[in-house]
Amino acid sequence: MATIEMSNMKKRYPNGADVIRDVSLSIAEGEFMVLVGPSGCGKTTLLRMIAGLEDITGGDLMIGDRRVNDVSPKDRDIAMVFQNYALYPHMSVRDNIGFALKLRKTDDGEIKRKVEEAAELLGLTPYLDTKPRQLSGGQRQRVAMGRAIVREPSVFLMDEPLSNLDAKLRVKMRSEILKIQRRLGVATVYVTHDQTEAMTMGDRVAVLSKGDILQCDTPQNLYDHPVDQFVASFIGSPSINMYSAQLSEGAKFLNIGGESVELTDVAHISHPSLASYANSRITVGIRPEDLELVDKGTPNSITATVELVEALGSELLVHFNTDAKAVVVEGVKDEEETILEASGAGVARIEPRASVKAGDIIGLRPNPAVMHFFDVNTELAIY
Amino acid sequence: MAVVEVADEAKVDPSAKQKPKVNKQFRDRNQIMLARLGWRFTTPALVIVGAITIFPVVFSIVLSLSNVNITGNGFQLQGFTFSNYSLLIHSSEWRYSLGFTVFYTFVSVFIEVVLGTAFAVLMERLSKGRGPMMALLLLPWSIITVISAELWQYVYQGTYGVLQYLINSVGFGKPVILGTPTPAIIAMMAADIWKTTPFVSVIVLAGLVMLPSDVFEAASVDGCTPWQSFWKITFPLLRPTLSIAVLFRILQAFGVFDLPFVLTSGGPGTSTTSLAILGYKVMFDNLQFGPGSAVAVSATLLVLIGCLAFLRAFRTQVNGGDL
C-alpha cells in the first residue's frame, strides 16, 4: 500500500504535442481516484505514465516515498487492468492469474493458494482451467482483475476496464470492483470517459481536458461547485443547460432569452461575487432537475416549447426549446450530440406523472438557489 | 468448397428446422443448382491440375511398380513388381541420400527458423525504414536458386573463389571446399540458409505485427524481462506462424535439387546427393526408369508422412486454435 504523488508531470511527444501539460495530484493510501475526461484529454496517457508504459517528460512521480520516473514498470509494484483485458491467450485462467507470482519465483503451493483465493473472490473457480477465449467479456474482465489483485500491489491502475461490457454488466462490475478495492485498501487510479462511472466510483474525481486537470474533488462537490463551464457540463447526465444571460437592475434580475428571473437573496449569499457582474452579460447553468414545471407565463419562469418527452418511469425528461441562446462548451460532447442541442435546446427532469407532451408550451421555473453562473470570457464559475 | 460450406451451415442452423417444408425444398434445389454451377466453374481448372499434377504423380507410381524395359522406341511397362523398391531399400546410395536429405532438412530449417525469427524480432523493433530493410532482406529469396547457386559457386570455387582466397590470406591454407565432403555439405547449407532465412523472416514478421501490443504491456507490468517476454509470450503466440514457416521449409528443403545440382552435382562422390538428385541421376543418367521413379515416390511419401505427423503434432497451432 502506498500513496501516489505527481508533481508538475509533463508529457510531450517527439512531434511537439503536449499531451500532459502540468499535472500535480496526490492520491492517498486506499483512495479510489478516477480520471475522467473526453477522449483525447490525456487521461490514459497519464495512467500509462504512472504505470511506466510511457516516459515522463518532466516533473516527478512518487509511489510511496520512492521517485519512480525512471523505474521500469515491473519494479514499480503496480498492477494494471487494461481496456481490452490483455489476457495471455495461450494460458489458462489459472496461469494468467498466477503469471506474475510465477515470475517472482513464488513457491508453487503459495501460487496455487493465492490464485484459488482470488478466483473464489471473483467467482472464477469453475473456469480456472479454461482459456480466455472460452470466456465471456465479463469473465475475462474478472480474470484481468484477478491478475491484478493476486500480486498484492501497492497501486492499482485501471484503464477503462468496463468499457467493453454491456450496460447491465457494467453496473454490476462497478460495484464489484469497488468492493474489492475497499477490501484490499489499495490506492487506485481508474480511467474512464463515462462521467456516471466516475461519479459512482470515485472517492475523488479528477476532470481532465487537453492535458490539464481542471478540477479534482469529491463527486458531489464537482456536481455542486464546478470550477468552470467545462466541468459543469461534463459532470451530470443529462448535462446542465447553459444559456447566455444578462443581469439587470444591478444583479437583481437575470434575463434569459426574453424572460426575467428574480435572483433571490439565497443566490447572492452563495455567490457573493455575482454583485461585481451587475448589469453585465454572464452564462447561467441550470441542472435539469432544478427546473420546475409551471404554467406558461408564471413569474420567474422561462417559456419553453416541448420537443420530446422521455418517460423513464421514475421521472420525465422533457426536451424543450426556448428563445434563450444556449452556450455549448466545446470538446465535452460528440459532434452529433452538439448538433441535437443546438440553439435554445434544453432538458428538464420533472416528476413522472406530469401531463406534458410534445408541442406543449410550458413554463419552467429555475431554482435560483442552485443556479450556476459563469464568466463569459474566462468561462470560470462565479461564486 | 464454398458450396460445401453453405450446405454445412444449413445443416447446423437450428432455425432451419422450424421453416416450412416448401421453403426447405426450394433451398435444397437452390443448393443443388449452386453445386452444379460450382462444378462447372471449377472443371477447367481441375482438368489442368489433373493433366499437369495428378497424371505425372500417378504415372510415377505406376512406373515405380513396373518392370520398365528400355527399347529403341522409348520404354515399355512389363508387368507389376516390387523389385524397384526392394532395390532401393537394399541400396546404400538410397539410404545415404535419405540420411543426407533428412539431416540437411533438419539442420538448415532449424538454423533458418532461429535466424529468421531473430531478424523478424529485430525488424519489428525498427521504428522506421522497415520497408527498405525488408526489400533488402528479401533480395536473396527473390533470386532464382540456380542463379544464386552459380553466385555461391564463385565464392566456393577452387581456383578463383573468394572464400578460399580469404581463408588463405588469414593463413589457413587453401581448403578444397566443394571437393571435400564435409565442407561441401556445410557450404551447401550455408547457401540455402542465406537464401531462405528471409522467407522465414517475412512470415514471422507478419505474425509478430499481428500480436496484440497490450499483452506485452501487461507482461512488462507483471514483471517480465524482455527475454522472459519473448519466451513466455512472444514465442507461444508465434507458434502457429512458426509452424507454417517450418512446414513450408520442410517441404521445400526435402526436395532440394537445384542447389546441389549446380554447386556439386551431388558430389564429391555422393556426399551431397539428395533424394531428388539421386532420383534424377538414376532416371536420366542411368536410364533406370523403374528404380528412379521409386526414388521419387519414396521421397514424396516420406515427406508426406513427415508433414502429416508434423501437422498432427502441431494441429492446434497451425489452425491458430490455441489463440
Side-chain angles (χ1 to χ4, degrees):
Chain A
M1 275 174 261
T3 57
I4 305 172
E5 189 78 41
M6 295 173 238
S7 29
N8 308 102
M9 288 231 298
K10 293 179 187 74
K11 172 80 191 176
R12 169 173 288 188
Y13 279 128
N15 64 11
D18 286 312
V19 199
I20 297 295
R21 287 171 199 277
D22 186 358
V23 165
S24 297
L25 187 64
S26 42
I27 298 158
E29 241 177 66
E31 187 176 13
F32 199 109
M33 170 66 76
V34 178
L35 305 180
V36 70
S39 53
C41 71
K43 54 191 190 301
T44 295
T45 309
L46 188 57
L47 189 80
R48 291 170 58 86
M49 285 160 78
I50 302 173
L53 298 171
E54 297 275 357
D55 294 336
I56 299 170
T57 318
D60 295 311
L61 171 64
M62 310 276 290
I63 295 180
D65 41 19
R66 197 158 61 115
R67 185 176 182 273
V68 293
N69 280 42
D70 304 312
V71 175
S72 74
K74 70 185 174 71
D75 299 323
R76 291 191 185 192
D77 197 16
I78 48 161
M80 185 157 171
V81 179
F82 291 80
Q83 185 170 8
N84 298 316
Y85 320 131
L87 301 180
Y88 309 121
H90 57 295
M91 295 184 198
S92 66
V93 169
R94 183 188 295 280
D95 292 341
N96 259 288
I97 298 178
F99 187 60
L101 297 177
K102 208 169 164 184
L103 287 175
R104 286 191 208 163
K105 305 219 165 25
T106 312
D107 170 63
D108 279 353
E110 179 82 357
I111 296 179
K112 190 168 185 300
R113 192 181 61 75
K114 284 190 171 175
V115 168
E116 280 167 10
E117 212 175 271
E120 188 64 41
L121 180 70
L122 294 159
L124 286 170
T125 311
Y127 308 106
L128 273 176
D129 294 308
T130 45
K131 294 270 171 71
R133 73 190 149 96
Q134 292 162 301
L135 301 177
S136 69
Q139 289 163 343
R140 286 180 202 188
Q141 210 285 325
R142 291 210 293 268
V143 177
M145 280 296 293
R147 199 165 61 174
I149 63 178
V150 80
R151 299 186 31 201
E152 297 166 9
S154 41
V155 173
F156 275 143
L157 304 175
M158 304 191 191
D159 185 9
E160 310 212 18
L162 304 182
S163 61
N164 287 342
L165 303 180
D166 63 62
K168 206 170 162 189
L169 199 54
R170 203 178 305 161
V171 175
K172 187 165 165 269
M173 286 306 294
R174 231 151 57 186
S175 57
E176 280 192 29
I177 289 179
L178 266 184
K179 255 189 261 170
I180 291 167
Q181 194 268 345
R182 293 283 179 255
R183 191 167 146 172
L184 302 175
V186 174
T188 302
V189 185
Y190 185 104
V191 161
T192 179
H193 65 271
D194 178 350
Q195 62 89 26
T196 317
E197 221 167 275
M199 296 289 280
T200 50
M201 297 181 83
D203 289 325
R204 282 192 299 156
V205 176
V207 182
L208 278 88
S209 169
K210 295 174 186 161
D212 275 319
I213 292 185
L214 299 179
Q215 188 174 8
C216 177
D217 214 327
T218 60
Q220 198 59 49
N221 275 343
L222 281 182
Y223 193 77
D224 293 340
H225 307 290
V227 290
D228 65 5
Q229 284 182 200
F230 184 93
V231 176
S233 58
F234 192 82
I235 301 293
S237 172
S239 61
I240 194 167
N241 305 299
M242 285 211 257
Y243 301 107
S244 176
Q246 171 89 37
L247 286 170
S248 62
E249 290 184 36
K252 198 159 187 286
F253 290 96
L254 187 65
N255 297 332
I256 308 173
E259 257 103 1
S260 167
V261 175
E262 188 185 353
L263 292 180
T264 53
D265 291 343
V266 192
H268 285 288
I269 291 165
S270 53
H271 302 90
S273 321
L274 203 56
S276 59
Y277 286 85
N279 297 323
S280 30
R281 183 153 286 281
I282 57 168
T283 301
V284 62
I286 309 161
R287 298 264 178 214
E289 62 272 24
D290 298 331
L291 284 167
E292 186 192 351
L293 177 68
V294 292
D295 292 331
K296 108 179 132 149
T298 307
N300 297 323
S301 76
I302 306 163
T303 309
T305 314
V306 178
E307 294 273 298
L308 172 76
V309 179
E310 287 180 281
L312 300 181
S314 61
E315 64 200 20
L316 285 185
L317 292 183
V318 178
H319 296 254
F320 59 85
N321 246 319
T322 70
D323 294 339
K325 185 173 172 291
V327 174
V328 178
V329 184
E330 272 180 41
V332 177
K333 287 175 204 143
D334 299 338
E335 215 171 299
E336 284 171 44
E337 285 178 87
T338 317
I339 293 167
L340 274 177
E341 292 182 5
S343 99
V347 185
R349 193 198 297 258
I350 61 171
E351 59 110 1
R353 286 168 194 87
S355 59
V356 190
K357 59 181 191 306
D360 287 358
I361 294 176
I362 55 170
L364 290 167
R365 184 164 56 196
N367 179 358
V370 285
M371 273 186 186
H372 300 272
F373 306 101
F374 304 95
D375 187 297
V376 181
N377 299 316
T378 62
E379 300 192 352
L380 292 177
I382 302 165
Y383 285 110
Chain B
M1 202 58 199
V3 177
V4 176
E5 272 171 24
V6 169
D8 279 349
E9 264 176 36
K11 236 182 267 169
V12 241
D13 184 7
S15 64
K17 283 178 193 158
Q18 293 152 12
K19 285 180 184 165
K21 212 179 168 186
V22 184
N23 208 346
K24 188 176 182 299
Q25 276 173 355
F26 174 75
R27 209 179 51 245
D28 286 350
R29 211 168 56 223
N30 202 12
Q31 269 170 21
I32 292 166
M33 275 164 61
L34 265 176
R36 279 190 196 148
L37 196 65
W39 275 111
R40 255 176 256 162
F41 277 129
T42 47
T43 302
L46 288 177
V47 168
I48 294 170
V49 169
I52 66 173
T53 307
I54 298 173
F55 172 73
V57 170
V58 172
F59 190 63
S60 294
I61 296 172
V62 171
L63 273 182
S64 73
L65 290 169
S66 307
N67 265 319
V68 187
N69 200 17
I70 312 277
T71 65
N73 302 326
F75 53 78
Q76 288 176 333
L77 304 186
Q78 294 176 328
F80 171 85
T81 176
F82 268 122
S83 65
N84 294 329
Y85 286 99
S86 77
L87 201 66
L88 281 195
I89 291 163
H90 293 107
S91 120
S92 62
E93 279 184 352
W94 181 77
R95 278 178 301 188
Y96 176 82
S97 281
L98 178 63
F100 168 72
T101 310
V102 169
F103 172 79
Y104 167 85
T105 303
F106 269 86
V107 175
S108 50
V109 170
F110 178 77
I111 295 175
E112 281 155 22
V113 167
V114 172
L115 282 180
T117 308
F119 279 131
V121 170
L122 281 178
M123 297 252 295
E124 207 240 343
R125 299 201 164 194
L126 282 181
S127 50
K128 40 184 146 180
R130 206 190 281 172
M133 274 303 287
M134 179 104 98
L136 215 61
L137 196 65
L138 269 177
L139 212 59
W141 174 248
S142 61
I143 299 172
I144 301 164
T145 313
V146 174
I147 312 267
S148 71
E150 286 287 356
L151 295 175
W152 279 100
Q153 178 85 18
Y154 291 135
V155 176
Y156 295 139
Q157 221 274 343
T159 28
Y160 48 81
V162 181
L163 190 62
Q164 203 186 46
Y165 172 79
L166 287 177
I167 292 174
N168 187 33
S169 64
V170 289
F172 286 100
K174 280 192 165 189
V176 184
I177 298 165
L178 294 179
T180 328
T182 309
I185 292 172
I186 295 172
M188 195 178 116
M189 283 181 174
D192 188 62
I193 290 163
W194 173 81
K195 182 177 159 61
T196 46
T197 297
F199 169 77
V200 178
S201 274
V202 168
I203 292 188
V204 173
L205 183 62
L208 269 179
V209 296
M210 297 287 287
L211 297 183
S213 62
D214 58 354
V215 170
F216 293 96
E217 291 179 345
S220 76
V221 171
D222 264 351
C224 273
T225 59
W227 190 246
Q228 284 172 322
S229 180
F230 178 80
W231 284 111
K232 292 185 188 294
I233 312 289
T234 314
F235 186 68
L237 292 183
L238 265 186
R239 280 214 312 223
T241 312
L242 285 173
S243 307
I244 287 181
V246 167
L247 196 67
F248 278 9
R249 283 302 305 135
I250 288 179
L251 278 171
Q252 287 172 335
F254 205 80
V256 68
F257 177 83
D258 31 16
L259 197 59
F261 189 79
V262 174
L263 273 185
T264 59
S265 311
T270 57
S271 55
T272 57
T273 303
S274 67
L275 282 175
I277 295 272
L278 181 70
Y280 173 83
K281 281 187 169 171
V282 173
M283 215 183 240
F284 299 111
D285 288 353
N286 306 350
L287 296 180
Q288 294 174 308
F289 288 95
S293 301
V295 172
V297 172
S298 69
T300 311
L301 276 181
L302 286 168
V303 75
L304 209 65
I305 291 169
C307 286
L308 285 178
F310 179 83
L311 273 178
R312 202 176 180 80
F314 289 83
R315 183 165 46 199
T316 49
Q317 279 81 3
V318 174
N319 292 339
D322 229 10
L323 288 167

